[in-house]
Amino acid sequence: MLTTPTKGAFLQKLGAMNPAAFSEQEEAEMLAAVEEIRELKRQKNAVILSHFYMPAELQVKHEDGGIADFVGDSLGLSAAAKNVEADNIIFCGVKFMAETAKILNPAKQVLLPSFDAGCSLAESITGADVRQLKAQYPGVPVVAYINTYAETKAEADICCTSRNALDIARSLGCDKLIFLPDLFMGRNLQTKIKAETGKELILWEGKCEVHEQFTPQRINGLKLMYPEAQVLVHWEVPDNTVADALTGAGGVVGSTSDIIRFVGESQNRQFILGSECDLGATLRGMYPEKEFIVPCIKCPHMKRITIQNTLEALRAIGTEKESLFQIRLEKEIMKRALAPIERMLAFS
Ligand code: 13P
Ligand code: SF4
């Protein structure tokens, strides 16, 4: 049974992150699941890693009465996964993130609550596509965004996340590099890099189906309604949005962590968020005194993960259902994908 203070702490945190009221029945079901998950984590020696795009109830930390042992962006989650000592990692994120966790900590069992949690970027490119690019541009280094599957990473020289892409691209001693698969992020990086170093990026045509929806019209319409607000946009939004997003009250274009840090350091009170809807919940939880205007565009892949299937994954550990949730990768692919991921982590 969840104790009254634990239940109170969870509901208070959840209320700050997600003011939408739950019905009495939904709340009772959620509290029952939270209670069982907390107990099963202990019994089955498991930890839960949760991305900032998860629904708010999956982002509340264990110490606040919730279920998450670590909440972070894709880089933070990779570093956390590498250091997990528990036998089982339940990954509340999408498949490419859970694969990265498995590659970094292969002795642990990594469980993904739903294998429908894909990603339009990861699905836009295969290992064979990268081999073809390498044949077309011999000797040009390949930087693979972490939003790729293991067989794609296995062909890359180095991986990056939105947090360290710029530093990695700057650091490579070459006048050209292949950046894949995000076209818009590549163009946004290119604008910075070319001005600084003259370096040219060869790009792929992948797009994030969430961030591509933050068109200039959408952001400019909100700026007219909230002229004092600063604008927070992820690297993955279209380059023509970035071109004028920061004109006016200012703001930031960057990674999820850059966005969080910028809000913390800004004296402004109001912000327009050009990123996934539930990052709005994260920001409300962290900065309750600030106001966030969030056009709520949800990643359908991230939302495949729920408190109920997280509970099912935990219940399955040690039963014949375990394999339904297990991340399994070929040894050879894991070995080849590890090198570019490790090179990336050296930049963190
Ligand atoms: P982060 O690297 O900022 O966590 O972003 C992950 C992602 O899926 C962006 O759409
Ligand atoms: Fe992929 Fe975009 Fe969803 Fe991130 S938000 S997981 S990039 S589809």
Side-chain angles (χ1 to χ4, degrees):
M1 183 68 181
L2 277 182
T3 62
T4 307
T6 309
K7 188 167 117 181
F10 173 74
L11 290 175
Q12 196 186 2
K13 198 79 198 172
L14 187 63
M17 293 172 86
N18 180 5
F22 290 94
S23 71
E24 236 172 76
Q25 192 186 337
E26 282 166 343
E27 188 177 294
E29 281 169 9
M30 186 164 54
L31 288 170
V34 167
E35 182 187 350
E36 191 177 344
I37 289 172
R38 285 168 65 93
E39 177 55 22
L40 284 174
K41 282 200 298 173
R42 194 184 59 76
Q43 281 175 21
K44 305 212 175 185
N45 195 19
V47 294
I48 293 183
L49 306 185
S50 189
H51 190 267
F52 287 133
Y53 294 177
M54 285 290 107
E57 60 274 22
L58 293 172
Q59 288 196 47
V60 181
K61 295 215 181 105
H62 191 98
E63 65 263 31
D64 294 326
I67 63 166
D69 295 287
F70 182 88
V71 185
D73 66 354
S74 52
L75 186 62
L77 289 165
S78 302
K82 188 176 153 91
N83 295 323
V84 164
E85 285 176 6
D87 297 328
N88 297 288
I89 298 172
I90 310 288
F91 210 103
C92 291
V94 291
K95 192 170 135 219
F96 74 79
M97 296 179 177
E99 281 190 354
T100 309
K102 181 71 187 167
I103 294 164
L104 283 166
N105 204 342
K108 309 298 176 186
Q109 173 162 258
V110 178
L111 301 170
L112 183 65
S114 168
F115 272 77
D116 291 330
C119 168
S120 62
L121 282 174
E123 270 136 46
S124 73
I125 191 159
T126 63
D129 292 327
V130 186
R131 287 193 290 279
Q132 209 174 344
L133 275 172
K134 289 199 286 194
Q136 203 180 336
Y137 301 99
V140 178
V142 176
V143 182
Y145 195 24
I146 198 162
N147 299 36
T148 46
Y149 290 126
E151 57 131 16
T152 306
K153 289 187 176 84
E155 302 296 336
D157 295 290
I158 186 164
C159 290
C160 71
T161 75
S162 57
R163 200 174 348 151
N164 55 21
L166 202 52
D167 287 343
I168 287 175
R170 276 186 186 127
S171 77
L172 296 173
C174 54
D175 55 7
K176 262 192 193 138
L177 60 90
I178 297 170
F179 174 81
L180 52 88
D182 190 334
L183 178 68
F184 291 142
M185 179 164 165
R187 284 186 186 159
N188 289 326
L189 289 171
Q190 171 79 88
T191 308
K192 286 225 168 208
I193 303 265
K194 192 137 194 196
E196 283 173 14
T197 64
K199 207 174 278 187
E200 207 179 300
L201 269 60
I202 296 156
L203 303 176
W204 190 251
E205 291 274 338
K207 286 176 190 158
C208 163
E209 66 189 87
V210 176
H211 289 96
E212 71 173 335
Q213 295 185 55
F214 291 96
T215 56
Q217 293 84 331
R218 194 185 284 269
I219 296 292
N220 288 335
L222 288 169
K223 282 173 68 178
L224 281 175
M225 287 168 73
Y226 303 96
E228 302 301 317
Q230 292 187 317
V231 179
L232 314 165
V233 286
H234 195 280
W235 278 121
E236 292 170 10
V237 303
D239 47 310
N240 56 355
T241 304
V242 169
D244 52 17
L246 310 190
T247 313
V252 68
V253 48
S255 68
T256 305
S257 298
D258 293 332
I259 289 173
I260 292 172
R261 193 175 339 104
F262 180 86
V263 173
E265 289 169 2
S266 170
Q267 298 304 313
N268 229 56
R269 212 190 65 77
Q270 201 180 48
F271 303 87
I272 295 165
L273 179 63
S275 189
E276 212 271 348
C277 182
D278 276 309
L279 180 58
T282 317
L283 290 167
R284 274 185 224 106
M286 287 179 175
Y287 307 110
E289 72 288 3
K290 305 211 174 192
E291 188 193 351
F292 299 95
I293 319 302
V294 183
C296 188
I297 303 175
K298 289 181 186 258
C299 171
H301 308 285
M302 292 277 183
K303 300 319 151 193
R304 293 287 186 167
I305 310 296
T306 64
I307 204 142
Q308 285 305 330
N309 57 26
T310 300
L311 174 58
E312 281 158 30
L314 266 161
R315 282 182 183 153
I317 296 173
T319 74
E320 73 284 359
K321 289 202 181 142
E322 192 174 60
S323 61
L324 297 175
F325 301 96
Q326 256 170 1
I327 295 287
R328 272 168 297 169
L329 292 165
E330 278 172 38
K331 276 209 167 66
E332 179 58 23
I333 293 281
M334 283 179 53
K335 201 170 132 211
R336 288 176 48 222
L338 179 62
I341 299 173
E342 294 272 24
R343 275 180 215 123
M344 169 192 83
L345 287 180
F347 269 85
S348 323

